[in-house]
Amino acid sequence: MNDAQSRLLGPAEVRALAAELDLRPTKRLGQNFVHDPNTVRRIVKAAELEPDDVVVEVGPGLGSLTLALLPAVRAVHAVEIDPVLAGRLPATAADRAPALADRLTVTAADALGVRAADLPGPAPTALVANLPYNVGVPVVLHLLAELPQLRRGLVMVQSEVAERLAATPGSRTYGVPSAKLAWFAAARRAGPVPRAVFWPVPNVDSGLLAFDRRDPPPGDRVAVFRLIDTAFAQRRKALRSGLAGWAGSPAAAETALRGAGIDPMARAETLSIEDFARLATAKA
């Protein structure tokens, strides 16, 4: 399939739609709209989608990426928090991709509150989105937790967020987001996105993050995530000291750490998600 069946939005079309809707992009909603057809084509290609995939797209905005997705997959669930944009998107699809418009379902909602039952039809298998910068990490983690059939994804986020999410243990940028995403998936950087492809132009760099779901380590996710939060809250401390409150005392923390095969003098950024899962189980 290709985007020949869908007329993509360029700068003039994006501005015309915005004018029609009297739209003034807001920082509160993290609204920066892609107006470059080559960029959305690149995103769809990098997502490595199959014709039978069902995509969930968060923050479709004016529909730039949506129109590029429709020819490539079986269906697109678009989740849009702005009711004006959500109301206009079906008409945009009908106008610019009339033969494909029935593949689109739009849900006017905050993606952070979306449940699987809120998305009608077949369950999403992939997440492809230009995510609002202010909620990129929690949206990815929420959807992976809520949509178990979500197998892979490609999201555009702030460049430093992509770096943190793809970081591995021991690296400078490894932290809470990296460890929690690793529970669900293996992530990697998938390239930069220039500022000039957005309207309005953001004052930060953007990047693509790709991920593929994998089986989580044994253990209770809620308990493991609580441990990750605690460990990184005092990341400069050795774990024996930093986890004293979590375990009940420094000695109890050392016992749990040794039981999990972890050096009590290690620091949080050296632990893999498997280490955190073993440690949570060791204390339990």
Side-chain angles (χ1 to χ4, degrees):
M1 295 185 181
N2 58 59
D3 64 28
Q5 300 162 271
S6 191
R7 293 185 297 123
L8 303 183
L9 300 176
E13 291 84 5
V14 166
R15 289 183 179 274
L17 273 172
E20 173 199 321
L21 299 173
D22 194 24
L23 174 68
R24 293 172 178 79
T26 71
K27 285 187 176 181
R28 181 179 65 82
L29 296 179
Q31 291 175 327
N32 295 92
F33 303 112
V34 179
H35 59 56
D36 177 55
N38 286 331
T39 296
V40 294
R41 289 188 189 101
R42 175 185 160 211
I43 291 171
V44 172
K45 182 178 180 181
E48 299 180 348
L49 298 165
E50 300 291 340
D52 62 346
D53 269 322
V54 176
V55 167
V56 58
E57 182 192 3
V58 173
L62 294 167
S64 298
L65 179 56
T66 314
L67 291 170
L69 285 166
L70 288 173
V73 296
R74 177 159 58 117
V76 175
H77 290 295
V79 180
E80 174 57 61
I81 193 172
D82 186 322
V84 174
L85 292 174
R88 182 62 171 84
L89 189 56
T92 301
D95 174 46
R96 305 191 71 85
L100 306 173
D102 62 349
R103 297 183 182 181
L104 175 65
T105 303
V106 181
T107 299
D110 182 345
L112 286 171
V114 163
R115 302 297 175 196
D118 298 329
L119 303 178
T125 59
L127 168 64
V128 184
N130 168 23
L131 290 176
Y133 289 148
N134 51 349
V135 294
V137 172
V139 163
V140 170
L141 295 176
H142 169 70
L143 291 178
L144 280 166
E146 182 62 29
L147 304 174
Q149 289 175 278
L150 206 62
R151 303 311 304 169
R152 61 187 178 279
L154 184 84
V155 295
M156 182 157 48
V157 291
Q158 192 172 336
S159 184
E160 64 180 42
V161 171
E163 185 177 357
R164 287 204 304 270
L165 285 169
T168 53
S171 67
R172 179 181 55 83
T173 51
Y174 182 72
V176 171
S178 346
K180 289 184 177 180
L181 180 57
W183 173 274
F184 298 105
R188 64 189 185 279
R189 296 290 299 269
V193 180
R195 300 184 186 193
V197 305
F198 296 97
W199 174 76
V201 177
N203 57 7
V204 294
D205 293 319
S206 301
L208 298 175
L209 178 90
F211 61 83
D212 294 285
R213 191 187 284 268
R214 62 185 180 193
D215 291 335
D220 176 67
R221 178 170 57 86
V222 173
V224 174
F225 279 19
R226 189 179 301 122
L227 170 59
I228 290 169
D229 288 333
T230 302
F232 280 103
Q234 303 190 64
R235 63 183 299 156
R236 295 183 184 277
K237 291 186 177 182
L239 289 167
R240 182 186 189 277
S241 174
L243 293 178
W246 168 80
S249 69
E254 179 168 348
T255 298
L257 286 158
R258 292 194 184 282
I262 299 168
D263 180 357
M265 299 311 292
R267 294 187 178 185
E269 62 264 28
T270 65
L271 269 58
S272 68
I273 187 61
E274 291 79 14
D275 293 330
F276 281 115
R278 282 200 322 277
L279 181 55
T281 301
K283 175 178 177 284

